[in-house]
Amino acid sequence: MDKTKRIVINGVVQGVGFRPFVYKIARQLGVYGFVLNSSKGVIIEITSSDEKIEKFIKELKEKKPPHSEISKIDVMDLKLKKFKEFKILKSSNDSNIVTSIPSDLAVCDDCIKDILDENNRRFLYPFTNCTNCGPRFSIIEKIPYDRKYTTMKKFRMCADCKAEYEEPSDRRFHAQPNACSLCGPRVWVVSSQLKIIKKGWIDYIVKRIKGGNIVLIKGLGGFHISCDAFNQKAVSELRVIKKRDFKPFAVMVDDIKYLSDYLYINEEEKKLLHSPKAPIVMLRKKENKLFEFVAPLIDSVGVMMAYTPLHRIIFKDLRDAGFKSPLVMTSGNFKDEPIIKENDEAMEKFSGFDILLHNRDIKNRIDDSVVFLDGKSNIRLIRRARGYVPDSIKINSDIDLNIFASGADIKNVFGFYRKGEVILSQYIGDLEIKENRDFFVNSYKNIKKLFGLNFDFAVIDMHPSYYSSEMTKKFKIKNIIQVQHHISHIYSVMAENNLKDNVIGVSFDGTGYGLDGNIWGGEFFLMKNKEIKRVAHFDYIPLCGGDIVTKEIWRSFASLFYRRRDFVYDFLKSKVDKKTIDIVFKMMDKKINSPLSSAVGRIFDAVSVIVTGDVMSEFEASGPMKMENMAYKTKDSYKFDILNDSGTYIIKSDSIIDDIIIDYKNGKKNFISAKFHNSLLNIIKYLCVILSEEYSIYNICFSGGVFQNRFLVNSINNVFDKRYRIFLNSKVPSNDGGIALGQIYYAIRTDKIIFHNRKEK
């Protein structure tokens, strides 16, 4: 006996070929009805026997498209309906938006074949795509994900493209950005002399790159600035433009073979490079100097594959011309500003350079993601952006409220919660810069509109001067919850791993406003019975000048070695003016503008001054990154002291400092980094073992920017035995880009939401 069922599917089910997939399954099983996209998700109505309907639902789950993600399937009975066939219907809209938005996908192998086949009508067409690849988040304006709600709406499909779009057996069946050279977006170049080049644009760009020039290329989520990665003059000029003297640039290739002589690449890294997410992957250098222009003084280079047809076409012509170098592909912006996405802005800000433009508008700007693989091939995110955003993160909660989280001020990423999932924004950047604050506000408004959300709660950092918190307060969200920065870090790991409670948390980074008004960053927490206790931390040191220490890292050195002033003066005598050092010590003595800090990030900076000789930081964490390369030289370590102060363990650095000075004076400077890293691991193990035994808790979470250090990440699992369960961030960065997830989970898990609701009632 036939029955009619309505099936509503939520998750990433739009823009990933889900409706064509449903259509094919229905046709194969002989099931009649329809499927359509809506703001509630994918809606299916079918009439058939119980047996066929059961098989239909089973195949939906088991054979779903590779880039889709099903978070929920609701099945309900309807009054019997008679259908004559199975159809894909036009999308419907609803104010209650529960579906997700797909992330942008790297060009697939089939589309690469199309653009390289001289007999294919898409030969060398830069905007070739199908249901398995191409733009998604970067072009969407509204849900449901249909062409008319994207920036492709102005391009009317030609007869051939429309036939593909409507043919169920075609891989471009309902591919929303589908286009060709007759009906789709086009490319042109505005030369450095302001000449517009439409025909021969590829020959011109290739000639300019080969000639050692810098060009701008409009890509998927914004502009890149590009040049020959092995051309020292071009890279040096790019550093002047970007005001980045030493900070590494990412590079792009079309084939791994062009890197195998220069970088170590394992099979898992190859898979990640060629994956649909196609992030920048940090790869270790071999013993050669070619990448020293691009990534000086550190042991790794960020590499990504050419992930759009446009990139592939540029590389094809470069290779045909005998060019074998990678290309620098760095964000098209000035230092720390948002990536440029508009043609007019690119032409205004980079007038005098060759600029490759196109007329497929970018609605949502988005940078490239950056990752590395740890020793166990786990993905560790450094920047979560293209390919990962706006994928949702499922968490263990059935609270049916909308929660906004503002994130931090550095490496800002905000986020929101709706029943059972968290969606994080693209990378916003440092909010000290006005353009990034504008980006924050505009992205908030866009996300709110896109998902049709009104927020019941906001969660912010407790820092009294954070821009992210102040801007959030202006969003007129009624209930606001504050949370301490490093507690958020730990809760981000707990959220990823669905840990509700009973956790020891280790949070190491460079700064964060503490509950006592000091600067925290070397913290051990106990999360038990929904209570949070700071159970250990590094001893405080005064940081003269406050935030300036992140640039003038010799100040952190003077602070850490405060007790050994004779050594500080002697070491800095040819590097920093003595009068300046005098002033710094006097300010610390009199406690003038010298906030107390327990931050491990600042301790790393201080030790790096001795190891590298640098007294200024070229870019954030440049000293610690250089130190990491030297962390493998010995397994020896320094002794350390830990005091129990009324139940709180205080880590004293005096013994470490004295032994570092001895090593330096004895000509063993090259071993200081390794011994310091090993000491840090010993401190972590010593305290975690004590705390685990004391509180009978064996779940240990690690987070904070310091845990982007590969040596520490790879070593942590090795220092603990099987009794301990070790957790690190893998779905969000351990740096401040993961804070928003932790803020939300803190509010949910500590019952702050319930408490607020009771107060309201």
Side-chain angles (χ1 to χ4, degrees):
M1 181 178 175
D2 284 351
K3 294 180 180 178
T4 300
K5 302 277 188 181
R6 169 176 265 220
I7 304 167
V8 180
I9 305 175
N10 296 138
V12 182
V13 289
Q14 297 186 14
V16 289
F18 206 90
R19 286 177 298 170
F21 157 71
V22 172
Y23 178 89
K24 290 174 185 176
I25 295 295
R27 293 289 295 267
Q28 288 169 7
L29 295 176
V31 171
Y32 293 164
F34 66 81
V35 60
L36 59 82
N37 270 349
S38 87
S39 49
K40 291 183 177 179
V42 168
I43 296 176
I44 304 166
E45 288 190 10
I46 54 171
T47 297
S48 192
S49 65
D50 282 337
E51 182 182 352
K52 281 191 175 182
I53 291 173
E54 186 178 332
K55 188 173 183 181
F56 177 80
I57 294 172
K58 183 181 179 184
E59 296 213 357
L60 290 182
K61 294 176 181 177
E62 294 179 354
K63 297 181 179 180
K64 63 183 178 64
H67 306 309
S68 66
E69 182 181 319
I70 296 173
S71 59
K72 186 181 180 184
I73 297 180
D74 288 325
V75 182
M76 58 206 80
D77 295 321
L78 296 179
K79 187 177 179 180
L80 186 66
K81 295 183 181 181
K82 295 289 185 179
F83 298 107
K84 294 182 179 179
E85 58 184 331
F86 194 89
K87 292 182 177 181
I88 296 179
L89 300 184
K90 288 184 178 181
S91 300
S92 68
N93 210 340
D94 189 284
S95 59
N96 181 25
I97 299 171
V98 294
T99 193
S100 297
I101 298 170
S103 57
D104 299 302
L105 301 172
V107 59
C108 69
D109 290 342
D110 288 330
C111 285
I112 292 172
K113 289 176 184 175
D114 288 347
I115 63 173
L116 299 181
D117 180 0
E118 293 183 8
N119 298 314
N120 192 291
R121 72 187 189 91
R122 288 190 174 84
F123 178 57
L124 300 184
Y125 181 58
F127 304 97
T128 300
N129 66 87
C130 68
T131 54
N132 298 317
C133 69
R136 302 291 192 270
F137 173 69
S138 58
I139 62 170
I140 193 167
E141 297 175 333
K142 186 179 178 182
I143 294 174
Y145 176 69
D146 281 335
R147 190 183 184 97
K148 64 183 178 182
Y149 298 137
T150 73
T151 60
M152 284 295 295
K153 62 181 179 292
K154 63 184 178 182
F155 301 102
R156 179 174 290 185
M157 281 184 279
C158 66
D160 287 339
C161 286
K162 191 171 183 183
E164 293 170 331
Y165 183 86
E166 294 176 347
E167 172 52 52
S169 63
D170 198 288
R171 78 173 197 275
R172 294 189 171 94
F173 183 43
H174 281 257
Q176 302 307 326
N178 190 31
C180 71
S181 59
L182 293 177
C183 63
R186 301 193 177 185
V187 173
W188 68 96
V189 168
V190 176
S191 75
S192 56
Q193 305 300 315
L194 299 182
K195 181 181 178 182
I196 297 175
I197 303 167
K198 293 184 177 179
K199 289 185 178 180
W201 61 266
I202 183 65
D203 295 330
Y204 180 84
I205 283 293
V206 165
K207 181 180 177 182
R208 296 295 285 171
I209 292 172
K210 279 195 69 183
N213 295 285
I214 293 169
V215 302
L216 263 74
I217 299 172
K218 186 177 182 181
L220 190 71
F223 281 82
H224 283 116
I225 309 177
S226 184
C227 68
D228 179 352
F230 291 163
N231 186 313
Q232 183 177 6
K233 183 180 177 184
V235 176
S236 297
E237 184 183 346
L238 180 53
R239 292 199 173 280
V240 173
I241 295 167
K242 293 274 287 184
K243 298 180 181 178
R244 282 167 63 164
D245 293 341
F246 295 98
K247 191 173 182 180
F249 291 129
V251 302
M252 178 182 281
V253 292
D254 60 327
D255 195 319
I256 292 298
K257 70 181 181 183
Y258 293 105
L259 296 176
S260 57
D261 290 339
Y262 314 118
L263 303 173
Y264 295 104
I265 312 171
N266 64 37
E267 288 304 312
E268 293 303 315
E269 288 166 337
K270 286 181 183 178
K271 287 180 185 177
L272 188 55
L273 284 163
H274 287 98
S275 71
K277 294 184 183 300
I280 296 170
V281 181
M282 299 303 297
L283 301 176
R284 290 197 177 279
K285 298 175 185 174
K286 292 183 178 178
E287 291 298 322
N288 64 77
K289 301 296 182 184
L290 275 174
F291 277 109
E292 285 307 304
F293 312 136
V294 170
L297 308 175
I298 61 172
D299 68 348
S300 301
V301 180
V303 176
M304 59 182 153
M305 295 300 295
Y307 60 82
T308 72
L310 177 58
H311 295 140
R312 291 281 174 168
I313 291 165
I314 292 171
F315 271 107
K316 176 191 179 300
D317 277 49
L318 282 168
R319 302 311 185 206
D320 288 347
F323 183 89
K324 295 183 179 180
S325 300
L327 293 180
V328 169
M329 282 283 177
T330 188
S331 299
N333 56 8
F334 290 114
K335 187 177 180 181
D336 296 330
E337 292 181 0
I339 187 171
I340 294 171
K341 70 182 182 76
E342 303 291 347
N343 291 354
D344 290 346
E345 185 183 3
M347 291 175 64
E348 177 187 343
K349 290 188 173 180
F350 287 91
S351 176
F353 291 90
D354 299 300
I355 307 177
L356 188 155
L357 301 162
H358 61 71
N359 60 343
R360 186 178 70 196
D361 294 336
I362 298 167
K363 173 62 178 177
N364 303 300
R365 77 182 87 211
I366 188 163
D367 281 283
D368 298 309
S369 294
V370 184
V371 309
F372 71 89
L373 292 185
D374 68 15
K376 295 187 176 181
S377 295
N378 297 306
I379 294 174
R380 304 297 176 195
L381 285 150
I382 298 172
R383 182 169 69 201
R384 187 177 186 270
R386 176 187 52 77
Y388 293 88
V389 173
D391 293 351
S392 66
I393 298 170
K394 303 297 181 291
I395 63 173
N396 188 13
S397 171
D398 59 0
I399 290 176
D400 196 7
L401 294 168
N402 296 329
I403 306 169
F404 175 76
S406 64
D409 267 21
I410 306 298
K411 295 181 174 62
N412 179 265
V413 169
F414 65 77
F416 69 86
Y417 165 89
R418 61 183 185 182
K419 192 174 182 180
E421 65 177 357
V422 174
I423 296 175
L424 299 176
S425 75
Q426 66 270 58
Y427 177 80
I428 304 294
D430 296 351
L431 297 183
E432 289 181 351
I433 297 169
K434 181 185 181 300
E435 289 83 355
N436 290 333
R437 296 199 295 275
D438 293 340
F439 183 20
F440 177 96
V441 173
N442 291 335
S443 296
Y444 167 81
K445 291 177 180 177
N446 182 50
I447 289 287
K448 191 172 182 289
K449 180 181 177 182
L450 199 55
F451 287 92
L453 291 169
N454 288 308
F455 293 108
D456 304 290
F457 287 86
V459 192
I460 62 175
D461 193 281
M462 65 175 289
H463 194 295
S465 302
Y466 259 15
Y467 288 109
S468 55
S469 301
E470 289 305 309
M471 289 188 290
T472 299
K473 290 174 183 176
K474 294 177 182 178
F475 292 157
K476 297 181 180 179
I477 300 170
K478 187 176 181 181
N479 302 299
I480 294 182
I481 297 167
Q482 292 187 333
V483 55
Q484 198 277 328
H485 185 90
H486 301 95
I487 291 171
S488 297
H489 271 308
I490 300 305
Y491 271 91
S492 72
V493 185
M494 293 171 67
E496 287 190 31
N497 295 281
N498 282 324
L499 299 171
K500 295 182 179 180
D501 207 359
N502 295 327
V503 161
I504 292 168
V506 183
S507 183
F508 291 174
D509 65 4
T511 187
Y513 188 78
L515 294 171
D516 58 2
N518 294 321
I519 298 171
W520 289 8
E523 315 305 315
F524 291 75
F525 295 104
L526 176 73
M527 281 74 169
K528 187 172 184 178
N529 299 326
K530 298 185 179 180
E531 296 292 330
I532 302 163
K533 182 181 179 183
R534 186 193 194 200
V535 288
H537 63 86
F538 276 77
D539 198 11
Y540 288 123
I541 60 172
L543 293 179
C544 181
D547 289 344
I548 198 173
V549 299
T550 60
K551 181 68 177 175
E552 298 182 12
I553 56 176
W554 68 267
R555 291 172 180 260
S556 291
F557 167 70
S559 296
L560 185 65
F561 289 77
Y562 181 68
R563 196 174 46 85
R564 298 293 302 271
R565 298 188 187 196
D566 55 334
F567 179 73
V568 173
Y569 278 111
D570 184 58
F571 185 86
L572 295 177
K573 62 185 176 184
S574 61
K575 302 173 185 292
V576 180
D577 181 66
K578 182 179 181 298
K579 291 181 180 178
T580 304
I581 301 172
D582 289 340
I583 292 170
V584 164
F585 278 131
K586 286 178 181 177
M587 290 176 69
M588 286 193 282
D589 289 339
K590 296 181 179 181
K591 301 179 181 179
I592 299 171
N593 193 23
S594 299
L596 297 177
S597 168
S598 62
V600 173
R602 299 289 78 84
I603 296 173
F604 256 108
D605 282 346
V607 177
S608 78
V609 171
I610 292 183
V611 173
T612 68
D614 296 337
V615 295
M616 303 290 286
S617 177
E618 291 97 357
F619 54 91
E620 184 191 11
S622 62
M625 288 173 72
K626 295 174 190 176
M627 281 178 62
E628 184 185 340
N629 194 30
M630 306 170 72
Y632 303 86
K633 289 184 177 292
T634 180
K635 293 184 178 180
D636 293 342
S637 60
Y638 297 119
K639 61 179 181 289
F640 55 87
D641 300 304
I642 294 179
L643 306 180
N644 189 330
D645 182 7
S646 303
T648 300
Y649 296 98
I650 310 296
I651 305 154
K652 306 288 286 186
S653 301
D654 295 353
S655 297
I656 294 175
I657 292 165
D658 290 341
D659 286 346
I660 285 174
I661 292 173
I662 291 170
D663 274 349
Y664 178 80
K665 289 182 175 180
N666 289 339
K668 297 181 179 180
K669 186 182 78 168
N670 288 341
F671 294 97
I672 291 174
S673 174
K675 292 171 78 171
F676 174 74
H677 277 84
N678 293 332
S679 302
L680 205 55
L681 286 169
N682 291 341
I683 290 167
I684 289 169
K685 180 181 179 180
Y686 178 84
L687 278 171
C688 286
V689 168
I690 286 178
L691 294 169
S692 293
E693 295 301 323
E694 190 173 335
Y695 295 101
S696 299
I697 292 176
Y698 297 90
N699 293 328
I700 309 175
C701 295
F702 296 88
S703 190
V706 168
F707 293 108
Q708 289 180 163
N709 181 304
R710 278 193 188 187
F711 177 85
L712 292 178
V713 169
N714 289 336
S715 302
I716 280 171
N717 279 297
N718 298 328
V719 301
F720 291 97
D721 62 41
K722 293 181 180 179
R723 290 178 299 166
Y724 302 91
R725 298 177 69 210
I726 306 303
F727 301 94
L728 296 101
N729 292 111
S730 60
K731 296 177 182 176
V732 299
S734 63
N735 62 37
D736 285 3
I739 284 284
L741 174 62
Q743 289 173 336
I744 288 168
Y745 203 62
Y746 165 84
I748 291 171
R749 281 286 153 244
T750 56
D751 290 342
K752 299 296 179 184
I753 301 296
I754 295 171
F755 176 73
H756 266 268
N757 279 346
R758 284 174 182 164
K759 278 176 62 179
E760 289 296 312
K761 292 175 182 177

